[in-house]
Amino acid sequence: MSLVVEDLRAGYGRIEVLHGINIEVPDGSRIGLFGPNGHGKTTLLRAISGLLQLPRGRVRFGGDDLTGANTQRVVECGIIHVPQGSTLFPRMTVLEALTLGAYSPHAWQRRRDNFDRVFTLFPRLSERRDQQCRTLSGGERQMAAIAIGLMGDPRLLMLDEPTLGLAPKVRADLEQRIQTIAESGVSMIIVDQDVELLFGLCRRLYLIEQGRVSLEVADRGEVQHQEVLRRYFGTVSA
Amino acid sequence: MSAIIVSGLVSGSLYALMASGLSLVWGALGVFNFAHGVLLMMAAYAAWWVSSSSGLGAGLAAGVVAAVVFSALAGALLYWVLVRPWLGKPDAELSVIMTTIAGAIFLENLVLEVFGGHYKELDQVVTGTVMLAGTTVQAQDLMAIFLAPALLGGVAALLTRSRTGLAVRAIAQNRDAARLLGINIERIYLVTFAVSAVLAGIAGITIAGLFSISPAMGNDPLLRAFVVVVFGGLGSLIGTIAGAYVIGMVEAVSSYYIGIYWTPVVLFLVLIAVLTVRPTGLMGRAP
């Protein structure tokens, strides 16, 4: 099941934010999105997951045309979007929030297996299962957010800034877990400001600027690495 | 003394049934349903019409069942007609206040037109009296005292254990994140309205047995329910239930010692005092 996005245009009300985006996520692979804030990375994820009204262009996942589909249909097809801002449900216990993650019918049937999978991946969440989500630490909240996504039994997982605001050690730990999820065959779109992290996790990177893909990086050759840093930060410091 | 306590508990139970429905809807949809009192009234009329010999004459049991089913349908229909078209639009909160007030006035007058202004009587679900702690208590009062906690306990259990109940709470806490889990928000809104209407309907059937049925019978409980919801803290079901019993007790004590005419004054003084110390209500959260 590969995701193909063609000439996607979407926005909020009359304001168009995405001016024709083309990206592709081959089955079982990871792509990374980076670029300045406010240029459309999150909007792209929201358009794919059906949160935006009337997008134009095309979104296909495997054989399904998901252009303009509602969130339920997108989730039922196996595309799970873990939104930015990690405290999803502050006044729920970790266990309740994870249970909710399996809300869609096909995930609900597989929730026992997925609980095992999630608690094996994040033993810390198992210890915290009866705690309210708002009492978790920053790293634990992010783990919970990703775990809720995994409970949805994803074929394609979209993570929006999973390491935002985390300490380097916590971040490295989380990167390891994301790697583990990827190795289980789940396709991923990862949005992050940390280009190094994306290079570590993804096969292909897209720089999103002003609602368009302004650069596509297919392998992590040093030349292109330099190019990315130059375009992204303006200069490459020695 | 125990008569005051019983009276406080009965009012508290009825307010809890009324106010928790209002609170559920507020939590999930972020709107206030001003037609909530009319739902209570219409359930009482439905029970009367089906059970009374002036209506279908099908007996009280059939009347109660019919009224509960009617409430669920009426709640769903009310949501569909008066609330849904305005959700997601700018100032939905205000629009829904207007539409539900308009709907309430319309329905109240419709009932007046159809059934007339004469008060109706509904048989009590349980009859007779019970001696309790030296006081004679109507069995119907006792039923109200036990029914409300049982029903609300059931609602609380659904909210923490069932898939749909968890979805109601998820929507109240983070609407977009809830949608991203594949939750059909519209369906959950509909269910929330139906459940809220059933709670109001059961309060209506109970009140109908204790007092009498008239087109305006829902107005006073609605006002009390608003006081309770604000008093207990917006968005907190536990706060709402606790608030209902506190208000019920204050009312009972005040009616006995100060008199029924000054009771609303006492009630609002207590409300003002609590909101001065705790602006978000007993158990409300800072917005």
Side-chain angles (χ1 to χ4, degrees):
Chain A
M1 297 282 259
S2 63
L3 177 82
V4 181
V5 173
E6 282 169 3
D7 195 31
L8 184 66
R9 293 165 181 276
Y12 303 90
R14 251 179 261 160
I15 301 159
E16 190 179 271
V17 177
L18 306 176
H19 310 296
I21 296 263
N22 294 287
I23 60 166
E24 191 182 342
V25 189
D27 193 18
S29 74
R30 279 93 69 196
I31 67 157
L33 306 179
F34 68 107
N37 280 330
H39 281 234
K41 302 184 301 288
T42 296
T43 306
L44 174 56
L45 298 193
R46 290 171 65 90
I48 294 171
S49 47
L51 281 177
L52 298 185
Q53 302 277 303
L54 301 174
R56 283 164 297 138
R58 272 194 101 180
V59 178
R60 277 183 295 128
F61 187 57
D64 294 305
D65 185 352
L66 293 180
T67 319
N70 62 25
T71 41
Q72 280 157 267
R73 172 130 186 270
V74 173
V75 168
E76 195 52 33
C77 283
I79 300 181
I80 306 286
H81 175 177
V82 177
Q84 204 180 50
S86 49
T87 318
L88 300 185
F89 304 109
R91 295 179 303 283
M92 271 190 197
T93 67
V94 171
L95 199 62
E96 286 172 340
L98 290 176
T99 308
L100 256 179
Y103 186 85
S104 72
H106 85 274
W108 189 253
Q109 288 180 348
R110 304 197 45 189
R111 68 186 190 282
R112 310 236 172 267
D113 290 346
N114 283 327
F115 263 124
D116 291 343
R117 176 183 174 195
V118 159
F119 284 144
T120 310
L121 188 63
F122 300 114
R124 184 76 66 81
L125 292 181
S126 183
E127 295 163 23
R128 301 266 187 268
R129 62 172 79 190
D130 293 321
Q131 238 169 280
Q132 299 261 305
C133 288
R134 63 165 188 272
T135 66
L136 299 177
S137 73
E140 289 165 351
R141 287 177 191 197
Q142 198 57 64
M143 286 180 203
I146 296 174
I148 291 169
L150 286 176
M151 289 301 294
D153 206 35
R155 281 190 279 214
L156 170 66
L157 190 63
M158 306 196 290
L159 303 178
D160 196 353
E161 307 228 16
T163 67
L164 189 71
L166 298 184
K169 214 172 152 185
V170 182
R171 177 184 296 227
D173 181 54
L174 200 63
E175 183 180 352
Q176 197 60 50
R177 313 294 165 102
I178 296 173
Q179 190 78 49
T180 311
I181 298 168
E183 280 158 14
S184 71
V186 179
S187 309
M188 284 192 200
I189 299 178
I190 305 170
V191 171
D192 214 289
Q193 302 285 0
D194 185 345
V195 180
E196 292 297 332
L197 174 101
L198 293 183
F199 266 119
L201 288 169
C202 304
R203 185 185 298 176
R204 188 189 294 261
L205 265 54
Y206 294 90
L207 172 58
I208 309 277
E209 279 179 318
Q210 301 187 349
R212 291 188 176 83
V213 174
S214 62
L215 184 70
E216 200 177 319
V217 190
D219 70 71
R220 30 171 129 162
E222 187 59 21
V223 178
Q224 287 201 318
H225 190 163
Q226 295 286 332
E227 169 71 3
V228 167
L229 293 180
R230 193 184 61 74
R231 303 261 316 236
Y232 193 28
F233 298 108
T235 56
V236 180
S237 52
Chain B
M1 187 63 207
S2 46
I4 300 174
I5 293 176
V6 168
S7 143
L9 283 177
V10 171
S11 313
S13 302
L14 293 171
Y15 297 161
L17 285 177
M18 266 302 270
S20 52
L22 214 53
S23 172
L24 272 178
V25 166
W26 165 261
L29 285 83
V31 298
F32 266 125
N33 174 19
F34 277 79
H36 201 60
V38 163
L39 288 170
L40 175 152
M41 176 270 290
M42 290 196 303
Y45 271 94
W48 174 82
W49 186 70
V50 171
S51 63
S52 157
S53 53
S54 323
L56 290 182
L60 187 61
V64 169
V65 172
V68 169
V69 174
F70 171 82
S71 295
L73 295 177
L77 191 68
L78 207 111
Y79 161 75
W80 201 258
V81 175
L82 298 180
V83 180
R84 185 177 171 273
W86 287 271
L87 289 180
K89 305 260 161 58
D91 295 324
E93 241 172 278
L94 291 176
S95 310
V96 169
I97 290 177
M98 305 303 267
T99 57
T100 53
I101 287 179
I105 294 171
F106 174 79
L107 289 170
E108 191 177 320
N109 285 292
L110 184 72
V111 168
L112 184 64
E113 194 65 33
V114 173
F115 291 99
H118 289 291
Y119 283 21
K120 309 271 187 278
E121 305 285 337
L122 185 71
D123 290 340
Q124 301 202 330
V125 175
V126 283
T127 51
T129 56
V130 180
M131 280 298 285
L132 197 74
T135 322
T136 318
V137 183
Q138 282 197 59
Q140 177 97 348
D141 280 341
L142 214 54
M143 183 199 78
I145 292 173
F146 286 107
L147 186 66
L151 278 174
L152 295 173
V155 170
L158 284 177
L159 285 172
T160 49
R161 290 179 215 282
S162 78
R163 181 166 166 266
T164 302
L166 286 172
V168 171
R169 287 167 62 212
I171 290 172
Q173 295 182 24
N174 190 338
R175 203 161 303 182
D176 270 357
R179 287 173 68 189
L180 288 175
L181 302 177
I183 294 172
N184 181 342
I185 303 250
E186 298 249 309
R187 196 183 74 85
I188 300 295
Y189 284 169
L190 196 77
V191 171
T192 308
F193 247 86
V195 169
S196 144
V198 166
L199 292 174
I202 290 171
I205 298 166
T206 313
I207 291 176
L210 290 172
F211 310 104
S212 57
I213 304 177
S214 73
M217 70 183 279
N219 297 346
D220 208 42
L222 177 69
L223 181 68
R224 289 300 181 334
F226 275 121
V227 173
V228 163
V229 170
V230 174
F231 182 81
L234 280 175
S236 160
L237 190 61
I238 302 294
T240 301
I241 294 169
Y245 284 100
V246 173
I247 296 279
M249 278 299 170
V250 168
E251 220 179 44
V253 170
S254 151
S255 319
Y256 185 81
Y257 290 103
I258 305 174
I260 197 153
Y261 288 105
W262 287 93
T263 294
V265 177
V266 173
L267 215 57
F268 280 99
L269 281 178
V270 171
L271 181 67
I272 291 167
V274 166
L275 292 184
T276 310
V277 184
R278 291 188 60 89
T280 55
L282 281 183
M283 305 200 184
R285 292 172 304 270

